Amino acid sequence: MPCPRLLLAATLASSVFIAAHAATATTAASVEVDARDAPRGIERVHLVLPVKPGKLTLLYPKWLPGEHSPDGPVSGLSALKFSSNGQAIVWQRDADNMYAFHLTIPSATRSLDVAFEVDAVSGATDNNALRTSTESLALILWNQLVFYPAGAQSDDLQYTARLRLPAGWSFGTALPQVSSAGDTTQFAQVSLTTLIDSPVLSGRHFKTVELGATPAVHLHLAADSEAALDIPAATTAQLRKLVQEAAALFGATHYNEYHFLWTLSDQLGFEGIEHHQSSDNRSAERSLIDEDLRRSEAVTSLLPHEYAHSWNGKYRRPIGLATGNYDSPIRGELLWVYEGLTQYLGMVLGARSGLAAPTEARDGWADAAAWLQTRKGRDWRPLADTAIAAQIGYTQAHEWRPRTRATDFYTESAMLWLEADTLIRSTTHGAKSLDDFCRLFYGPPSSAPKVVPYDFNDVVQALNTVMPYDWRGFWTLRLNRVQANAPLEGLAAGGWHLAFAAEPSPVEKADGALEKMTNLYYSLGVTLKDEGAVILDVVPGTPADAAGIAPDSSLIAVNGRKYSKDVLQDALKAGGDGPRALELLIQKDEMFETVELQYAGHARYPRLERDTAAPDLLTPILSPRTQ
Ligand SMILES: [Zn+2]
């Protein structure tokens, strides 16, 4: 999953198929999906499961790999019917586990028909229940379209899938195909693990771009308009470079082929879900064709982040996240490696590939450092706890996150991995780096997809192999301490420090345009949603906090004049560097209130400045390794 910091915010079967299927019913399940109504948010499923007579409990996938949360969209199920040989079978949901359904299979019954619909809802709070289709495209997520027997491991269950798309739509997926006829595709028999790990991106406006390499890497684009598919040649070249740089970093691959699935839609919003041989990347519709949006870190590091997960997260996986099914709770305590190091590598590979120019990459680090300084909840909540509590972190309220913290294990861990990298580089005088750890831990020999679990000791041991050091102490201290200050030591050791400029960087402007918000975190201490000028958040210890402003208020007027971005920016500039009061008219619920906000100076936006007290290690970290 990408860093949420950037989000401030019918019966389908032909009788021929059923007959063909019956012969294999005892060995593999078949799942037939009719997605012709996907633009309306409805997908219809006919599942045939091999069964034995007697009691049976079927499970709907709950804990989804990559989402680190129990958010399988079970509330979106409808029209659920179980039958065998045309006879309905009664079902009862478990009183404790909403994802479990109890049935009694009649004697002499060998296969069970399960018909149901999945109705996607845009208002859902669970990540996986968010909208996955528009009038022009659909993401087919197999976890939403299957049941499996309780007690089984997903590696041991075989499924064959068949998919019917709206007429004329194209698709891309890592799921191997057997045949295609018209708008229907038959996929090869695979394990349930592989099926759920292989989503399908489909759409009316669709394009596939080959990115080369061995094993082959493909890019599939689906967009809400034909115009949005017009990927610049320079971006394609940067994505090819990304594949080369990842090969240089890890020295091996653990996939048979790789497919980037990239959805370009303003309706679905920002998301990224990693898979072993593919990734589900979702960006704004014009991310590729609008030069300003393209600079956003949400664009430049999204594909590098999800791609790095093929090694860090899918191949090597924390033991607590390698449960082997979708009903056992996951343990997120090592997400500071799974997501934190991936966040670091996403930023590093984004720069090495050229997706982010060197200044843009540094602006990204400045943004991360400044954002970390707003997380005042660090004074009560250690970083380790944010990882342990990941399963409640993604969906928690956005208001007051600087006090509560949330999924801080992304950005804060990335900053700590930078510290580890600079420590290795400076101690070994450049002979070693975190790249050596990546090659050792995630690298050769190349393999087909498989999971190799690890624990904290394995991480410490691999770091010690790269460079003998008290790595156990290094991580134990940083994961468990409570302190208000952001851990920016790695930035200083890399020869740079955080500074502030009066104008936003192009990266900051792009982030603001993408998220449709104005970031005044580092001046007044608030972020403002553009629509309605709603104050999204207030940072403790800032002028807005001191003035008693609350999240979910609206900014109505500044110094007596109706609020607009320009009016506020002009007010910030007008007083020069001197202290002064800004008079803000605020609406909270149904009450209006005028507050005086004490402020000195201009607007402030993060930048990195070179600090010659230390050699510049950040530049070599962000520089390409391949020609
Ligand atoms: Zn991730």
Side-chain angles (χ1 to χ4, degrees):
M1 221 170 177
C3 175
R5 171 169 62 87
L6 297 161
L7 256 193
L8 280 179
T11 353
L12 357 140
S14 65
S15 54
V16 175
F17 174 68
I18 291 289
H21 166 79
T24 57
T26 52
T27 54
S30 77
V31 53
E32 198 158 349
V33 173
D34 185 345
R36 284 177 295 169
D37 240 355
R40 289 207 300 154
I42 300 171
E43 293 168 21
R44 298 185 174 88
V45 185
H46 180 200
L47 180 65
V48 182
L49 292 169
V51 292
K52 286 188 278 202
K55 301 279 186 198
L56 174 68
T57 299
L58 291 179
L59 300 174
Y60 189 68
K62 178 179 183 179
W63 291 86
L64 304 176
E67 305 205 358
H68 319 314
S69 311
D71 68 349
V74 72
S75 61
L77 285 182
S78 75
L80 178 62
K81 292 194 158 88
F82 297 92
S83 65
S84 181
N85 300 318
Q87 298 295 310
I89 296 176
V90 295
W91 57 273
Q92 186 170 37
R93 193 191 300 254
D94 189 90
D96 294 322
N97 179 2
M98 299 298 106
Y99 290 76
F101 296 79
H102 302 299
L103 314 160
T104 301
I105 305 300
S107 59
T109 300
R110 290 286 175 264
S111 82
L112 174 71
D113 292 271
V114 189
F116 61 100
E117 290 180 7
V118 176
D119 299 339
V121 280
S122 57
T125 52
D126 293 346
N127 281 328
N128 200 261
L130 295 174
R131 234 176 116 175
T132 52
S133 64
T134 72
E135 279 300 307
S136 299
L137 57 86
L139 275 159
I140 308 298
L141 306 180
W142 298 106
N143 66 276
Q144 301 184 351
L145 306 167
V146 293
F147 285 86
Y148 66 100
Q153 294 293 93
S154 58
D155 279 350
D156 299 333
L157 299 170
Q158 293 287 307
Y159 283 68
T160 58
R162 188 174 166 102
L163 173 64
R164 183 164 189 184
L165 291 169
W169 283 27
S170 303
F171 70 93
T173 178
L175 195 60
Q177 295 148 48
V178 171
S179 62
S180 235
D183 300 308
T184 301
T185 299
Q186 176 72 49
F187 294 99
Q189 181 176 316
V190 294
S191 68
L192 180 60
T193 307
T194 300
L195 181 69
I196 287 182
D197 197 43
S198 308
V200 178
L201 174 62
S202 64
R204 186 191 320 279
H205 309 293
F206 197 90
K207 182 186 248 183
T208 294
V209 180
E210 299 304 332
L211 298 180
T214 307
V217 179
H218 317 270
L219 169 67
H220 306 288
L221 305 170
D224 277 336
S225 67
E226 198 64 25
L229 298 175
D230 193 15
I231 183 171
T235 306
T236 303
Q238 288 154 355
L239 290 170
R240 291 202 174 103
K241 178 90 167 164
L242 167 63
V243 174
Q244 294 162 8
E245 285 294 326
L249 174 65
F250 295 111
T253 55
H254 305 286
Y255 49 74
N256 298 319
E257 52 186 63
Y258 191 90
H259 298 255
F260 287 106
L261 313 178
W262 198 350
T263 306
L264 301 160
S265 169
D266 293 338
Q267 312 306 317
L268 302 195
F270 173 71
E271 182 58 285
I273 300 292
E274 60 274 22
H275 300 283
H276 220 126
Q277 305 198 96
S278 63
S279 51
D280 164 4
N281 308 275
R282 306 176 205 171
S283 301
E285 179 179 337
R286 300 178 66 80
S287 295
L288 288 174
I289 57 173
D290 183 320
E291 183 62 13
D292 292 331
L293 293 186
R294 189 202 55 73
R295 293 173 197 274
S296 166
E297 204 201 322
V299 176
T300 58
S301 73
L302 177 59
L303 271 62
H305 178 113
E306 302 307 336
Y307 189 39
H309 269 317
S310 181
W311 290 265
N312 184 28
K314 305 311 281 189
Y315 167 52
R316 297 304 309 265
R317 196 174 307 171
I319 187 83
L321 293 163
T323 59
N325 58 45
Y326 310 100
D327 50 295
S328 302
I330 59 115
R331 296 184 62 144
E333 59 209 349
L334 284 171
L335 281 168
W336 57 273
V337 187
Y338 181 122
E339 291 295 0
L341 180 55
T342 300
Q343 185 70 12
Y344 180 69
L345 295 178
M347 294 173 79
V348 167
L349 288 171
R352 289 183 187 176
S353 65
L355 285 162
T359 53
E360 293 165 2
R362 284 199 296 274
D363 288 342
W365 277 104
D367 188 40
W371 180 87
L372 282 171
Q373 288 191 332
T374 70
R375 306 305 265 191
K376 303 300 184 190
R378 194 181 292 103
D379 71 358
W380 72 269
R381 190 174 185 196
L383 178 61
D385 186 64
T386 68
I388 289 169
Q391 56 183 276
I392 56 171
Y394 292 95
T395 50
Q396 82 179 63
H398 278 272
E399 295 84 0
W400 293 127
R401 280 192 178 192
R403 292 170 184 266
T404 60
R405 311 190 86 184
T407 53
D408 292 16
F409 52 86
Y410 284 85
T411 303
E412 186 163 327
S413 308
M415 195 59 78
L416 297 176
W417 282 106
L418 173 63
E419 189 180 352
D421 201 352
T422 55
L423 178 64
I424 297 170
R425 286 170 190 259
S426 58
T427 307
T428 64
H429 305 288
K432 299 277 183 172
S433 73
L434 205 58
D435 287 24
D436 295 286
F437 171 82
C438 289
R439 177 174 276 263
L440 178 67
F441 207 61
Y442 306 104
S446 288
S447 69
K450 64 174 178 178
V451 179
V452 180
Y454 65 85
D455 62 16
F456 181 57
N457 291 329
D458 296 322
V459 178
V460 167
Q461 189 177 19
L463 283 166
N464 267 318
T465 304
V466 173
M467 185 188 87
Y469 187 75
D470 178 18
W471 290 109
R472 183 178 306 280
F474 177 95
W475 286 111
T476 301
L477 171 70
R478 285 157 184 77
L479 290 165
N480 296 297
R481 68 190 171 194
V482 286
Q483 59 170 36
N485 290 338
L488 305 185
E489 290 81 1
L491 211 50
W496 297 80
H497 66 242
L498 177 63
F500 290 92
E503 295 294 330
S505 69
V507 171
E508 173 84 46
K509 280 184 186 163
D511 289 344
L514 261 185
E515 296 166 26
K516 300 184 171 60
M517 53 157 278
T518 302
N519 186 351
L520 299 171
Y521 257 175
Y522 316 115
S523 48
L524 304 184
V526 298
T527 49
L528 279 170
K529 194 161 98 183
D530 289 350
E531 187 180 353
V534 177
I535 292 168
L536 294 168
D537 222 335
V538 178
V539 179
T542 60
D545 186 42
I549 294 173
D552 275 342
S553 309
S554 293
L555 179 52
I556 307 296
V558 179
N559 291 340
R561 184 166 178 190
K562 182 170 180 272
Y563 165 80
S564 73
K565 282 189 180 190
D566 288 340
V567 165
L568 181 57
Q569 294 295 345
D570 288 347
L572 284 172
K573 281 178 189 161
D577 292 327
R580 61 203 182 276
L582 290 175
E583 196 180 273
L584 304 184
L585 178 60
I586 302 283
Q587 181 181 2
K588 175 82 171 77
D589 303 328
E590 294 181 336
M591 306 302 287
F592 292 85
E593 185 186 6
T594 300
V595 299
E596 276 206 354
L597 197 144
Q598 301 300 320
Y599 188 67
H602 298 283
R604 283 157 35 99
Y605 299 95
R607 291 287 200 289
L608 288 195
E609 270 178 8
R610 180 76 179 93
D611 183 346
T612 51
D616 179 6
L617 298 178
L618 188 61
T619 299
I621 287 172
L622 300 178
S623 298
R625 292 180 45 155
T626 62
Q627 291 304 308

